[in-house]
Amino acid sequence: MVKVSSVAIIYTAVALLLLFLISQNRPTNNSQNHHHHHRRLKLRSNFTFKAPQDHLRHDPIPFDPIIASIERRREDKQWEKQHYFKEESEAAAAQQQPEWEDFIDAEDYVNDEDRFNVTERLLLLFPKIDVDPVDGYVTESELTDWNLRTAEREVMHRTERDMDSHDKNRDGLVSFKEYEPPSWLLNSDNGSFGYDMGWWKEEHFNASDADGDGYLNKTEFNDFLHPADSSNPKLIKWLCREEVRERDTDKDGKLNFKEFFHGLFDLVRTYDDEDHNSSHHSNAAMERPAQTMFSQLDKDGDGLLSDVELLPIIGKLHPSERYYAKQQADYIISQADTNKDGRLSLAEMIENPYVFYSAIFTDEDEYEYGHDEFR
Ligand SMILES: *[C@@H]1O[C@H](CO)[C@@H](O)[C@H](O)[C@H]1NC(C)=O
Ligand SMILES: *[C@@H]1O[C@H](CO)[C@@H](O)[C@H](O)[C@H]1NC(C)=O
Ligand SMILES: *[C@@H]1O[C@H](CO)[C@@H](O)[C@H](O)[C@H]1NC(C)=O
Ligand SMILES: *[C@@H]1O[C@H](CO)[C@@H](O)[C@H](O)[C@H]1NC(C)=O
Ligand SMILES: *[C@@H]1O[C@H](CO)[C@@H](O)[C@H](O)[C@H]1NC(C)=O
Ligand SMILES: *[C@@H]1O[C@H](CO)[C@@H](O)[C@H](O)[C@H]1NC(C)=O
Ligand SMILES: [Ca+2]
Ligand SMILES: [Ca+2]
């Protein structure tokens, strides 16, 4: 009885909300069509729960916290479907409270200029980004910090979600016994990520356990999932060791020039190379710069690279969230900086609002989502 009446209340409330929103909406329908009729903001609706070390793809970081929160809710729902509803009873699924998004399309919301006015959003957000210093301009470093804060919130949210599912005894800690490798790993054939299976093993776990108490707390578990963003030296060293192990074809524990040239140099070079033009170069032409880099890294001059000798380039092999935050800031500035002074005024932002929403922006003519610059 209790269940039935609470469900009834929820549906009544949602119906009332719907009516309210529809009535709010109606008088403005005509004026809407004049504005940006060819543009439509598109929210991400499909999320892949992929390997964090699969750094060739990095999702765009939402510029606007409202967009971030809508997308996060969508992602959570998809994640829950995949992780819980398989096991839990249908009844539990049915008890799920309906959310406003089940009834009102979030995409219609963000595309309704009366409810989601992009100009007003930028007016509101500008002072939150222009903070260091407050001078009426958004610089590359201010925009990078802004993106990074969003990205870190997203990452931590996913970590908490993941931790919840592993922490079976609910003590806020994950032991190695509690930890099960993620399902995308079990489903994939060995080495399909181009990585050997050192990831998610006990050595990886132990390296993440900064204080060595045998358990990962939230910080340590986040490091475990995202070693590239960790400041734990044990874990960074493990990452280097893993890089050596995966390329060490003659199994001597170090990388000789051949192993470096064919396994690592390409990856480091790709990130160094801004114009992505080097694929035109022949192998032979690249051998000299590779030799130069190799001897710079080979600090003890033994002709081999050890794990610690990879430390200077590990950030290039595994770019941090800051790297992507900066990449996206650079892209946005290059698109919106009308007077080419390298920074953005509020006026420039308002003139080019869709640049900031480009991660979710789509247009009949060009499909912008997943733009190359963001990868
Ligand atoms: C979502 O992604 C999955 C695989 O990642 C794919 O099979 C499915 O077709 C996608 N759905 C949509 C609506 O794009
Ligand atoms: C959006 O906000 C700006 C600034 O407040 C205002 O000038 C503009 O008319 C608004 N647009 C709509 C469609 O309400
Ligand atoms: C991956 O390798 C392990 C042992 O190295 C093996 O037990 C497992 O069956 C392999 N998995 C697949 C999907 O090939
Ligand atoms: C990880 O640490 C535990 C002690 O906390 C130890 O018993 C185990 O052998 C270690 N495993 C590896 C692979 O280093
Ligand atoms: C987790 O433990 C580390 C020490 O290994 C500590 O520095 C950190 O503050 C702890 N994090 C939380 C959320 O308790
Ligand atoms: C890219 O490579 C081509 C062929 O080697 C060359 O003609 C072109 O100038 C290069 N572009 C840049 C931006 O370096
Ligand atoms: Ca500033
Ligand atoms: Ca610990």
Side-chain angles (χ1 to χ4, degrees), residues 316-369:
K316 289 184 174 134
L317 300 171
H318 297 272
S320 61
E321 287 299 328
R322 176 170 287 281
Y323 171 88
Y324 294 108
K326 179 174 176 300
Q327 190 185 43
Q328 189 164 321
D330 287 343
Y331 174 72
I332 285 177
I333 290 174
S334 77
Q335 298 297 300
D337 181 17
T338 314
N339 71 356
K340 301 291 168 215
D341 68 347
R343 54 192 188 175
L344 300 179
S345 61
L346 179 57
E348 284 172 331
M349 285 175 64
I350 289 172
E351 272 167 43
N352 304 287
Y354 288 94
V355 173
F356 299 89
Y357 292 86
S358 73
I360 55 163
F361 159 59
T362 173
D363 177 309
E364 269 84 1
D365 305 323
E366 55 184 316
Y367 187 63
E368 282 273 348
Y369 172 67

Side-chain angles (χ1 to χ4, degrees), residues 3 72 108 139 147 183 202 206 224 288 313 338 351:
K3 212 192 284 176
R72 191 182 314 129
D108 287 347
T139 61
N147 289 340
S183 51
E202 196 171 10
N206 283 5
F224 176 69
R288 186 187 287 272
I313 55 166
T338 314
E351 272 167 43

Side-chain angles (χ1 to χ4, degrees), residues 20-216:
F20 172 71
L21 287 166
I22 289 167
S23 64
Q24 284 255 303
N25 215 356
R26 183 155 298 151
T28 61
N29 271 348
N30 289 337
S31 63
Q32 238 170 273
N33 297 333
H34 302 295
H35 303 283
H36 305 296
H37 49 90
H38 61 295
R39 301 199 175 215
R40 185 166 169 84
L41 297 179
K42 188 115 183 65
L43 294 164
R44 289 204 295 138
S45 61
N46 207 6
F47 302 89
T48 47
F49 304 106
K50 60 176 189 277
Q53 78 268 35
D54 185 9
H55 58 68
L56 297 175
R57 287 173 291 142
H58 190 274
D59 291 327
I61 305 161
F63 171 78
D64 187 321
I66 289 187
I67 303 297
S69 99
I70 293 174
E71 290 189 348
R72 191 182 314 129
R73 232 170 334 180
R74 287 186 164 193
E75 187 187 308
D76 280 350
K77 262 171 127 172
Q78 189 179 325
W79 190 89
E80 276 169 25
K81 250 185 226 146
Q82 288 181 13
H83 285 78
Y84 288 124
F85 292 168
K86 270 180 275 173
E87 298 124 53
E88 286 185 11
S89 65
E90 300 250 327
Q95 252 195 323
Q96 262 265 307
Q97 294 199 355
E99 287 180 47
W100 66 277
E101 265 201 69
D102 294 336
F103 300 90
I104 296 130
D105 186 19
E107 233 158 76
D108 287 347
Y109 169 78
V110 298
N111 282 288
D112 179 347
E113 282 181 58
D114 294 302
R115 282 187 286 168
F116 190 80
N117 181 322
V118 177
T119 306
E120 279 180 359
R121 291 301 301 158
L122 290 172
L123 283 167
L124 188 88
L125 295 177
F126 188 86
K128 297 184 185 192
I129 307 168
D130 173 25
V131 292
D132 185 26
V134 183
D135 59 357
Y137 294 101
V138 163
T139 61
E140 183 207 48
S141 90
E142 284 170 328
L143 193 51
T144 300
D145 286 347
W146 173 256
N147 289 340
L148 184 59
R149 278 199 299 278
T150 308
E152 283 175 346
R153 266 197 304 272
E154 303 280 296
V155 166
M156 195 46 87
H157 173 76
R158 291 187 194 120
T159 293
E160 283 168 358
R161 195 176 60 193
D162 223 21
M163 188 147 177
D164 254 15
S165 74
H166 287 297
D167 179 15
K168 310 227 162 50
N169 68 356
R170 308 253 154 239
D171 63 352
L173 302 167
V174 175
S175 67
F176 189 65
K177 272 210 177 70
E178 280 175 323
Y179 182 73
E180 281 165 24
S183 51
W184 49 255
L185 180 66
L186 300 175
N187 297 337
S188 70
D189 48 345
N190 285 340
S192 70
F193 295 99
Y195 293 90
D196 268 335
M197 292 292 128
W199 284 71
W200 322 120
K201 297 261 173 78
E202 196 171 10
E203 193 186 332
H204 177 188
F205 184 94
N206 283 5
S208 310
D209 182 12
D211 61 2
D213 66 353
Y215 297 94
L216 304 186

